[in-house]
Amino acid sequence: AARGADARGVSVARRIDLRLKTVPTDQRPEAPPADEAFWVHYGDLAPEAGALLDRLRAEEPAVWTEEGQETNIRLRRAFHDSLGVRQIIFVFCDDLIRQAYELPWWDTWAPQLRPIFQTLGISPNQVVRCLLAELPNGVTIPVHHDTGKWSLHSHRVHVPLITSEQGGDESSQVVFKVGPTADALERAQFPAGHAIELNNRAKHFVQNNWDRPRVHLIFDWVETTFEVPRLKLRAGQDVFQTRRAIFLNEPADFGAPDRPLTKPERVERSKLALSLVRADAAEEFKALTRRFADGELEADDYVDSICKAVESKENIAKMFREAELPLLIADVERQAALRAAMEAYLAGPRLFAVVGAMKCGTTSLFEYIVQHPAVMRSRQKEPHFFDWAWNKVQKWKLPGASLEASQAVCTPPREVDNPDALLKFWQVFDLDELARAGKVRVAGEATPSYLLGGRAVAERMRAALGSNLRLLIILRDPVKRAYSHYQMTADTNGTKEQLARRGTVAGRSFESLIDEDLAALRTVGAEDPDVDLETFEREYLNKTPMGNGSHSYVGRGLYALQIRQWLKVFPREQFLFLKLEDFSRDIQGNMRNVFSFIGLDAIRVPDIAPKNAREYEPISADLEARLKAFYAPHNKRLAELLGPEFAYEY
């Protein structure tokens, strides 16, 4: 994780073993070994620390003030702020260490900060928190241990810049004590200019009995094997904080209860929650609840743990709806996260659907998504449940065993208007495999003809799948899309089923198919991007053939007309719009956004080779020009609808 000692013997080679930080030291089942170190001396960084101190002194006192930090971003640390501790923050991460935020001064102060990390053999990208903290004289930070997932996975380092002599009369010095329990603390030596790692999961406190403020550089670094996404913030950027999270957009209302629980209510609900847990899992349940409340567990992981500790899904529902487990958590953001996770569990895995557009990279997008270990793919990539198969679905009666299997996966939420269709929809997945797979959080399919189905298909999906659904639409230059579509349907290679679904048009020219579709579109006035949408849907979309894809070569590229119909049914936040041309330039980066959108932690997709691609001769210049002229006003409407990044200008 870091290089060996430099010529002065400075090194992080002897560092706290992170396995010792899994739980706070006073909560370990066994006493710590007699030789366990709760603080470790890395070495003397006097030259590097001196340069940082010189910079600090040159900019004091303004550098500590709100006005002096206008070119940085001031984050709150509520408890420390209440004690009058002043700070200059360079890097900060949320409690669940999902993201490290580089504040503007991380770069501004790089000439003074980077040499410290370099001497220790730590890359700047390993640093997930970094700040200067000024502790006023006469102030005590009481005995505590740090909480949050970040504290389990990082090494906490102090580099004192301004401090008293160490080791003498405590009544006139800065005193730092640490130990396994609150009644077993020993004084640790934190001399100026030295780097010391602290086990911040052990009990510790600091008391400034000196006659002036104490200033430390404090930073937390992770091993190279623990990657944390990083984001640069700009000066003046709006940042919103809760106790355990950071938001770049103002967070929605967390739905805090009208009043906190009284002590008797809390006791009663706690007893009910424990009564639903197996006796042999009660202590573990208590410990996991504490870890979740402390920001050390994701809500989904906590719910997974509850499921293992509770006998039945019925009791899980009681835990949530009768014991109201989220109300036993004091932090409103943690409450909201748990409430959402438990609702999601009861509803079954979150669903996603790639609904279009055909020949815009939908197969590649789907195959990238399903490489995530927490994703269940549909048995068939394109089940056509809500379009081609819909009439059959309406008549289909689920056999008893299939109905029970679907019911075991999800309890239809109250918001769903067509619970029968929801239970039937789960049959497009291998439910036996889902039961074996365990930790599946998301399931999905990709039927790109859904987009062409317009409002009718959208309403079917809304009635059956509701707000648990995430919709992905990937677009492409409509001229290239149309020509690629033709090349697919003109291809006579493939299985019998593939050819039937494709609807081969071998022997017909691209021009004849384009002319045919343009005539149909002009009949309904669709050459005008402001055509009446209901007429467009009734007279064009609803009359497209079902059962194969060899039609609508031009119409499928009228993206704005189709998307506007879907936006009448689903709110914008249930959609993620992608542009193939941009997506292909940074697949891994775009997939991080995709995974986040469908509710998953990001992974690096192992296989990003294009799927379902073909080689063919270029389109003729005349046909290309005709199509560009037809699409130009529609492309303008698309950019107005989705943003200028979706502009296709010819």
Side-chain angles (χ1 to χ4, degrees):
R3 65 179 178 81
D6 75 346
R8 290 173 287 162
V10 179
S11 173
V12 299
R14 182 172 176 260
R15 56 187 180 272
I16 303 289
D17 187 337
L18 292 178
R19 290 173 294 183
L20 298 174
K21 300 179 71 172
T22 305
V23 297
T25 55
D26 67 338
Q27 295 174 22
R28 293 179 188 170
E30 299 176 356
D35 60 348
E36 181 175 342
F38 297 102
W39 57 282
V40 174
H41 183 244
Y42 286 171
D44 186 350
L45 292 172
E48 295 84 356
L52 177 59
L53 179 57
D54 288 344
R55 168 82 183 261
L56 179 64
R57 281 177 166 155
E59 300 197 18
E60 285 184 317
V63 72
W64 294 107
T65 66
E66 185 170 352
E67 296 76 15
Q69 293 187 28
E70 284 184 350
T71 56
N72 199 29
I73 292 173
R74 287 176 63 85
L75 298 179
R76 292 178 292 102
R77 298 172 76 213
F79 177 69
H80 294 79
D81 292 348
S82 70
L83 296 176
V85 177
R86 298 197 295 181
Q87 56 203 2
I88 301 166
I89 300 179
F90 304 109
V91 176
F92 208 71
C93 68
D94 61 292
D95 267 18
L96 288 164
I97 204 166
R98 294 168 175 159
Q99 183 99 50
Y101 299 90
E102 297 181 359
L103 279 64
W105 282 9
W106 177 241
D107 290 331
T108 305
W109 287 62
Q112 290 75 39
L113 294 171
R114 298 297 192 275
I116 292 173
F117 307 133
Q118 184 178 2
T119 301
L120 292 171
I122 298 168
S123 164
N125 283 342
Q126 290 176 257
V127 178
V128 294
R129 291 190 174 191
C130 181
L131 57 91
L132 288 168
E134 180 194 71
L135 179 69
N137 50 307
V139 171
T140 298
I141 297 178
V143 177
H144 69 288
H145 65 264
D146 288 345
T147 59
K149 189 176 178 181
W150 67 272
S151 65
L152 283 68
H153 295 284
S154 62
H155 300 272
R156 161 58 58 90
V157 180
H158 284 249
V159 181
L161 301 182
I162 302 173
T163 191
S164 69
E165 293 292 327
Q166 296 286 288
D169 180 6
E170 292 186 3
S171 66
S172 60
Q173 294 184 349
V174 177
V175 179
F176 202 112
K177 292 188 177 182
V178 59
T181 60
D183 57 0
L185 302 178
E186 294 184 359
R187 189 170 183 184
Q189 304 299 311
F190 281 57
H194 289 243
I196 298 97
E197 180 183 349
L198 167 74
N199 183 346
N200 53 339
R201 299 284 281 167
K203 291 298 183 184
H204 58 280
F205 87 97
V206 59
Q207 188 172 48
N208 187 0
N209 300 322
W210 201 26
D211 61 0
R212 70 202 77 167
R214 179 222 73 175
V215 177
H216 279 198
L217 172 70
I218 303 172
F219 64 90
D220 301 273
W221 64 276
V222 296
E223 307 279 354
T224 54
T225 52
F226 191 90
E227 294 186 13
V228 181
R230 303 181 74 83
L231 182 67
K232 284 186 179 293
L233 303 182
R234 64 182 185 278
Q237 187 166 354
D238 288 332
V239 176
F240 301 90
Q241 288 179 267
T242 63
R243 183 184 175 202
R244 300 197 178 276
I246 296 173
F247 301 89
L248 299 187
N249 298 303
E250 187 167 3
D253 180 10
F254 288 124
D258 294 334
R259 62 174 180 83
L261 296 179
T262 64
K263 187 173 181 179
E265 287 173 332
R266 182 174 293 276
V267 170
E268 181 183 349
R269 290 168 196 255
S270 297
K271 286 180 178 177
L272 175 57
L274 281 170
S275 73
L276 300 170
V277 176
R278 295 193 324 272
D280 63 334
E283 290 306 313
E284 183 181 7
F285 170 72
K286 291 178 187 176
L288 289 167
T289 300
R290 185 166 52 241
R291 289 188 62 200
F292 172 74
D294 285 345
E296 295 171 13
L297 274 181
E298 296 277 2
D300 287 336
D301 292 330
Y302 178 48
V303 170
D304 287 342
S305 301
I306 293 173
C307 294
K308 294 172 185 174
V310 175
E311 295 289 356
S312 67
K313 192 166 184 177
E314 180 183 0
N315 280 353
I316 293 284
K318 284 183 179 180
M319 179 83 77
F320 179 42
R321 290 175 178 148
E322 294 182 27
E324 292 187 277
L325 183 61
L327 294 183
L328 300 179
I329 309 297
D331 184 80
V332 293
E333 184 227 341
R334 298 267 76 198
Q335 282 184 16
L338 180 55
R339 193 176 292 114
M342 295 193 81
E343 286 283 14
Y345 169 80
L346 294 173
R350 172 166 283 175
L351 296 166
F352 76 87
V354 181
V355 299
M358 183 180 183
K359 300 312 297 175
C360 291
T362 57
T363 301
S364 294
L365 175 59
F366 180 71
E367 293 298 333
Y368 299 157
I369 293 173
V370 299
Q371 290 179 57
H372 196 294
V375 172
M376 168 66 69
R377 67 183 298 150
S378 51
R379 300 172 196 261
Q380 190 173 44
K381 176 218 163 197
E382 300 182 26
H384 290 281
F385 184 91
F386 293 101
D387 58 2
W388 299 357
W390 185 247
N391 289 337
K392 291 181 180 178
V393 166
Q394 299 290 85
K395 300 172 185 176
W396 178 32
K397 184 175 176 60
L398 273 180
S402 298
L403 177 61
E404 289 173 7
S406 290
Q407 289 172 333
V409 173
C410 79
T411 302
R414 286 184 285 269
E415 61 154 330
V416 165
D417 296 327
N418 192 344
D420 179 64
L422 172 61
L423 294 172
K424 290 176 180 178
F425 178 71
W426 274 107
Q427 294 297 310
V428 308
F429 302 94
D430 186 334
L431 297 185
D432 290 336
E433 183 184 345
L434 181 63
R436 291 191 301 270
K439 208 169 185 177
V440 170
R441 292 181 179 160
V442 173
E445 58 125 311
T447 304
S449 61
Y450 285 164
L451 183 62
L452 190 70
R455 186 170 179 171
V457 169
E459 287 176 342
R460 293 168 192 166
M461 296 183 78
R462 175 70 183 178
L465 309 183
S467 61
N468 192 38
L469 176 66
R470 294 295 176 266
L471 297 157
L472 296 99
I473 295 177
I474 185 166
L475 306 176
R476 177 187 188 184
D477 180 332
V479 177
K480 293 179 179 177
R481 192 224 67 80
Y483 193 53
S484 176
H485 182 180
Y486 168 72
Q487 294 297 334
M488 179 189 73
T489 55
D491 187 352
T492 57
N493 296 311
T495 66
K496 184 177 180 180
E497 183 184 8
Q498 285 174 329
L499 292 174
R501 282 174 166 252
R502 198 181 293 165
T504 181
V505 292
R508 291 198 62 182
S509 70
F510 182 46
E511 185 172 12
S512 69
L513 293 166
I514 291 301
D515 287 341
E516 184 178 281
D517 200 26
L518 283 171
L521 289 165
R522 288 187 174 116
T523 298
V524 300
E527 70 272 22
D528 181 355
D530 296 319
V531 62
D532 178 72
L533 290 177
E534 300 309 316
T535 301
F536 175 66
E537 172 138 351
R538 184 180 62 253
E539 300 299 328
Y540 181 80
L541 297 182
N542 291 352
K543 292 183 177 180
T544 56
M546 294 286 177
N548 68 73
S550 58
H551 57 84
S552 311
Y553 292 89
V554 180
R556 292 179 200 262
L558 301 179
Y559 304 136
L561 293 180
Q562 297 165 77
I563 291 169
R564 283 164 61 194
Q565 289 294 78
W566 280 74
L567 287 172
K568 290 179 179 178
V569 179
F570 287 99
R572 180 69 175 262
E573 57 266 24
Q574 281 186 245
F575 290 91
L576 179 64
F577 296 101
L578 301 164
K579 185 178 179 183
L580 179 62
E581 293 82 355
D582 296 336
F583 183 84
S584 301
R585 281 193 283 269
D586 181 13
I587 293 173
Q588 298 290 2
N590 280 288
M591 285 306 300
R592 284 195 293 272
N593 294 334
V594 169
F595 288 132
S596 175
F597 173 70
I598 63 176
L600 295 173
D601 292 333
I603 65 163
R604 187 168 185 82
V605 180
D607 176 11
I608 58 171
K611 315 298 178 187
N612 202 20
R614 289 176 175 79
E615 296 288 336
Y616 43 79
E617 294 296 318
I619 187 174
S620 74
D622 289 345
L623 271 180
E624 183 179 34
R626 283 180 61 198
L627 287 172
K628 284 182 175 179
F630 180 81
Y631 280 127
H634 292 276
N635 292 348
K636 183 179 178 182
R637 287 289 186 274
L638 179 68
E640 292 170 355
L641 181 65
L642 301 186
E645 64 273 24
F646 285 88
Y648 288 104
E649 297 177 348
Y650 304 127

